[in-house]
Amino acid sequence: MRRPAGRCASSPDGRSASEAGLKNQLVLILGDQLTPAISSLRGLDPARTRVLMVEVAAEAGYVAHHRKKLAFVFSAMRHFAAELRTDGWDVEYVRLDDAGNSGSLASEIERFRRRHGKLPLRVTEAGEYRVAEILRSVADVTIVPDDRFFISSAEFAEWAEGRSQLRMEHFYRMMRRRTGILMDGDKPLGGKWNFDSDNRNAATRDLMMTQPLQFTPDRVTREVLAMVTENFPDNFGNLEPFWFAVARGDAGAAFEDFVSTRLSRFGDYQDAMLAGEKYLYHAAIAQYLNAGLLDARHLCWVVDSAYRAGKVPINAAEGFIRQILGWREYVRGIYWWRMPGYADENALGASRPLPALYWTGDTDMACLASCVAQTREEAYAHHIQRLMVTGNFALLVGVAPAEVHRWYLAVYADAYEWVELPNTIGMSQFADGGLLASKPYAASGAYINRMSDYCHGCRYDVKSRTGTNACPFNFLYWDFIARHATMLRANPRMRMAADSWMRFSDAERKNVRASARNFLQALR
Ligand code: FAD
Ligand code: DLZ
Ligand code: SF4
């Protein structure tokens, strides 16, 4: 597909590229490529390049995105266009409600070429298989690698091929060695690779937590908010108050604020949940990082330096860096290695439709109601809420993984398929049969009770296993174990649970299954 740049082409309407001045190159910047050093722009002369950014109905509608997510993406795109112009680039920006907007990435490239001549297109590879396919089908396009990650998809595939078992921990150690982050020569700083065992404290109400830095919408964001209100009246999610950073400087300030006020306790309370405390010690930066407003290398080295300078403890620095250098890179590698088939995996044969409560929050289960309400308000839930509350529930009741995937992709401001899909299909729903995670993240109410205070305000009894007052996570957990006992007995990390089920009395087994059946009937 590569063609030499520098030609001057005539367009069908008789206009030529020279109408765009001396421009001989078109660069498309996608909504999650908001990085000045993006590979598509590198080495190009601003005087000879047209940059195209398009807000299109197809991208806004391939899932019913949360309204805050839509506002964030569009406002961040508009701010980035302004940033590029300040840096001397000639940017053509198409707004969603511009007259003539043809509605898709491919048709907008075509429309640009009709207007300005058939400039060759250069674009950084898309972060999503669906979009990558669209770009590959465009005429005269050069696709360049996205090098904002620590490891390329090809290098990951090389690492993964031929291994009988993939484990994030092995990948992560390799990445630590490769980058030197938190390393002292070939030894891990702090004497251990992983401090996860120190990171399982439950949070208590007397802890002082700061909120993520919040920003007042400027004129550009206010215009976007009005446009989203007008065009997406039925989408899930509260649009306001809207406080996300939408420009690079503010996103950077939000990260610095996290480092100075919350990072030191990030490790200790990483797995904790508290009703009404939406962020605890989490960074709340994934939406900025995934859109390109923050740089993963910079984040990891800042945290490495904070540890070396004695400002944060090792379990905090290592815990945070593992999420980015480890999990984030690992899930991206798996995504590109296993797509397109990965999206259809369903190892447990789950087929239930997504319960309406995921949209309404209408349930007596206090933990679920709280996580869905927070998701509606903020387009945010932290990892343990996603994994052990909403994800765990979907896993236990057997929701079709594709439906769970579409929900996560829609409702979180940080959701792009390359990172969301492996977290949902692999980590949360075990739909890949254990490729990504070593065991299903299935848990009873006891786990939620240990790690949160949700159960105090719940009408269900977390200590009861069966009956109408029993915590549904309890009988659903054992019902899940019963349904998949054969497969789980073959997994060393689940064998104990499967064996415990076999030790239940016949009467107890019957009660558990009847409680689950009744609950599931009502859920339908
Ligand atoms: P922190 O807890 O403060 O972590 C710091 C950073 O580490 C995050 O900003 C993120 O960039 C990275 N990180 C942490 N955990 C993961 C992980 N498992 N995979 C990849 N990166 C990670 N993350 C997304 O960025 N987009 C998604 O669409 C997404 N969908 C998810 C779906 C499910 C079912 C689950 C279980 C997890 C999902 N995650 C996703 C991972 C994680 O929940 C979010 O990255 C995190 O909650 C973002 O909040 P934070 O910035 O406060 O993260
Ligand atoms: C998520 C999103 C949305 C809502 N809108 C746009 C858009 O209008 N234009 C665009 O270029 N990108 C958008 N995106 C991001 C894309 O859906 C997709 O995730 C990335 O382009 C993949 O690299
Ligand atoms: Fe959730 Fe069960 Fe606790 Fe209620 S009792 S909050 S349903 S874990």
Side-chain angles (χ1 to χ4, degrees):
M1 289 294 231
R2 268 171 198 275
R3 301 260 182 96
R7 297 167 314 135
C8 191
S10 289
S11 67
D13 63 1
R15 296 158 66 171
S16 76
S18 60
E19 270 185 38
L22 290 170
K23 304 297 183 329
N24 60 15
Q25 181 72 62
L26 169 62
V27 171
L28 176 71
I29 302 280
L30 296 168
D32 58 354
Q33 299 183 344
L34 311 183
T35 309
I38 191 83
S39 54
S40 54
L41 291 176
R42 203 171 303 144
L44 296 184
D45 177 359
R48 297 179 67 83
T49 305
R50 296 293 306 265
V51 175
L52 176 64
M53 295 181 70
V54 292
E55 295 172 6
V56 286
E59 294 310 308
Y62 68 92
V63 287
H65 302 281
H66 192 297
R67 298 195 312 152
K68 268 199 172 92
K69 177 182 180 186
L70 288 168
F72 168 69
V73 172
F74 293 148
S75 184
M77 285 176 70
R78 291 181 188 191
H79 282 86
F80 185 62
E83 186 183 348
L84 286 180
R85 285 183 183 124
T86 305
D87 289 348
W89 296 95
D90 174 4
V91 182
E92 170 132 334
Y93 192 95
V94 179
R95 295 176 177 211
L96 191 76
D97 50 4
D98 278 352
N101 185 332
S102 59
S104 76
L105 294 170
S107 61
E108 276 304 291
I109 294 165
E110 199 40 53
R111 199 165 71 94
F112 177 94
R113 284 173 162 168
R114 276 203 303 276
R115 289 199 306 272
H116 301 297
K118 286 193 173 162
L119 297 183
L121 174 68
R122 188 174 147 98
V123 60
T124 294
E125 64 189 347
E128 190 168 339
Y129 192 87
R130 177 185 58 83
V131 181
E133 292 278 274
I134 294 170
L135 294 179
R136 272 195 283 273
S137 71
V138 171
D140 198 2
V141 62
T142 301
I143 298 172
V144 290
D146 187 348
D147 52 14
R148 293 175 297 172
F149 295 88
F150 286 95
I151 187 168
S152 71
S153 317
E155 288 167 321
F156 180 90
E158 200 178 309
W159 174 84
E161 289 298 343
R163 281 173 189 262
S164 55
Q165 204 183 42
L166 296 190
R167 284 299 158 249
M168 202 295 285
E169 188 62 29
H170 302 155
F171 171 78
Y172 169 57
R173 290 181 190 188
M174 182 270 287
M175 294 298 283
R176 292 267 297 274
R177 287 198 180 93
R178 190 179 145 126
T179 57
I181 292 173
L182 283 188
M183 294 297 288
D184 176 13
D186 61 353
K187 300 257 181 323
L189 278 182
K192 275 201 299 184
W193 291 101
N194 183 320
F195 289 80
D196 223 12
S197 54
D198 299 352
N199 292 357
R200 297 192 183 126
N201 297 347
T204 49
R205 290 256 151 230
D206 54 342
L207 288 167
M208 299 296 288
M209 281 159 264
T210 63
Q211 299 299 305
L213 221 48
Q214 307 202 345
F215 302 88
T216 306
D218 63 3
R219 185 187 51 77
V220 172
T221 301
R222 287 198 305 275
E223 276 175 22
V224 168
L225 293 174
M227 187 188 77
V228 172
T229 305
E230 166 102 13
N231 288 278
F232 302 92
D234 299 326
N235 282 42
F236 176 76
N238 299 1
L239 186 56
E240 297 191 55
F242 183 91
W243 53 262
F244 289 151
V246 289
R248 190 169 321 288
D250 287 347
F255 172 66
E256 279 164 29
D257 176 69
F258 161 72
V259 172
S260 57
T261 65
R262 295 195 301 287
L263 172 61
S264 57
R265 288 180 142 179
F266 173 86
D268 292 346
Y269 299 105
Q270 206 178 327
D271 289 358
M273 298 175 278
L274 277 182
E277 281 297 341
K278 299 169 180 168
Y279 303 97
L280 287 106
Y281 296 99
H282 292 273
I285 51 144
Q287 69 277 30
Y288 308 142
L289 180 56
N290 295 346
L293 299 185
L294 294 175
D295 173 65
R297 287 187 186 82
H298 174 73
L299 305 189
C300 288
W301 282 112
V302 165
V303 171
D304 172 288
S305 304
Y307 168 68
R308 289 179 203 261
K311 292 182 185 154
V312 298
I314 186 66
N315 71 316
E318 189 282 316
F320 183 83
I321 283 170
R322 177 156 27 89
Q323 306 314 313
I324 294 186
L325 181 62
W327 280 111
R328 188 169 184 267
E329 298 284 325
Y330 183 66
V331 299
R332 178 173 183 264
I334 290 198
Y335 178 79
W336 286 110
W337 186 43
R338 303 308 275 196
M339 280 300 278
Y342 201 63
D344 301 321
E345 299 222 2
N346 188 0
L348 301 181
S351 59
R352 183 175 296 278
L354 187 79
L357 67 86
Y358 278 80
W359 300 110
T360 62
D362 187 7
T363 168
D364 287 344
M365 300 170 74
C367 52
L368 261 183
S370 176
C371 291
V372 172
Q374 167 181 332
T375 299
R376 188 192 304 112
E377 284 158 23
E378 305 293 355
Y380 177 84
H382 63 71
H383 187 66
I384 292 299
Q385 294 173 313
R386 296 186 207 196
L387 186 63
M388 300 312 291
V389 180
T390 46
N392 184 21
F393 186 74
L395 173 70
L396 298 185
V397 303
V399 180
E403 294 215 6
V404 187
H405 150 56
R406 290 178 69 76
W407 184 77
Y408 281 104
L409 187 57
V411 302
Y412 291 112
D414 53 39
Y416 298 87
E417 195 180 81
W418 65 266
V419 53
E420 175 278 330
L421 187 78
N423 270 298
T424 304
I425 292 287
M427 190 185 304
S428 164
Q429 300 301 297
F430 206 67
D432 64 5
L435 176 81
L436 184 145
S438 55
K439 71 172 189 85
Y441 281 96
S444 69
Y447 175 87
I448 295 173
N449 192 30
R450 190 165 62 248
M451 298 313 299
S452 80
D453 64 353
Y454 290 132
C455 304
H456 299 316
C458 187
R459 93 139 178 88
Y460 293 108
D461 176 8
V462 72
K463 302 273 191 242
S464 298
R465 193 189 285 153
T466 54
T468 48
N469 284 331
C471 165
F473 275 105
N474 291 344
F475 50 74
L476 290 172
Y477 172 76
W478 288 110
D479 191 64
F480 172 84
I481 301 286
R483 292 201 312 272
H484 301 291
T486 311
M487 182 272 289
L488 295 176
R489 289 204 79 251
N491 182 322
R493 297 190 65 196
M494 293 303 290
R495 191 170 301 139
M496 242 169 67
D499 287 348
S500 303
W501 170 249
M502 298 316 288
R503 286 195 295 273
F504 282 22
S505 68
D506 282 354
E508 184 64 357
R509 281 214 289 260
K510 249 196 201 146
N511 284 340
V512 164
R513 305 233 45 188
S515 295
R517 212 170 28 250
N518 293 340
F519 180 88
L520 291 173
Q521 256 160 22
L523 190 65
R524 201 182 301 144

